[in-house]
Amino acid sequence: MPMDGRRSDDDLVFALQTEVDQLKEAVTSHAVVDQAIGMMIALGRVTPDEGWEVLKEVSQHTNIKLRHIAETVLTWGRDGEMPSEVRAELEDALDRHGPTRIPGATPDS
């Protein structure tokens, strides 16, 4: 850092590039999590808030970052494979939160 306490141009460029990289990662992670919530809604018949809770609980119970749980759910949607520990926690969480009754559906549906 220069003697006057201000950042050099190189330091500023580096700091800004780091921030841009972090923002890109956040946007990508957010999109992945949103897609996984969508899968919970469609397959588990839960609300969006419940879908978030399901993913959060699975993350907490498996000690795996939520973003990685979301990626695992999306991979499972594509190729049908999911680690057994994650699958068991996902099933348990969906049992706790769903299925949400579809409006207008009969009790037998």
Side-chain angles (χ1 to χ4, degrees):
M1 191 175 291
M3 296 293 287
D4 63 5
R6 291 185 292 165
R7 287 184 169 181
S8 71
D9 288 344
D10 289 342
D11 290 341
L12 186 56
V13 168
F14 179 79
L16 290 172
Q17 186 60 52
T18 300
E19 185 175 356
V20 166
D21 292 344
Q22 291 170 346
L23 290 170
K24 285 180 181 179
E25 177 69 25
V27 168
T28 300
S29 293
H30 188 66
V32 168
V33 171
D34 282 349
Q35 291 171 34
I37 290 171
M39 287 186 67
M40 297 300 96
I41 294 166
L43 299 173
R45 292 178 41 192
V46 296
T47 66
D49 288 341
E50 289 169 331
W52 166 254
E53 289 298 321
V54 165
L55 294 176
K56 191 168 73 170
E57 287 178 18
V58 171
S59 173
Q60 291 170 345
H61 292 169
T62 59
N63 200 29
I64 298 171
K65 289 185 178 188
L66 192 134
R67 177 181 77 245
H68 295 298
I69 293 296
E71 289 169 351
T72 299
V73 168
L74 296 181
T75 300
W76 169 68
R78 285 190 302 271
D79 66 21
E81 294 184 21
M82 181 181 289
S84 59
E85 175 189 17
V86 175
R87 180 183 298 274
E89 288 296 337
L90 184 59
E91 289 172 358
D92 289 346
L94 284 170
D95 285 346
R96 285 190 297 275
H97 290 279
T100 300
R101 202 161 155 248
I102 298 173
T106 61
D108 297 314
S109 297

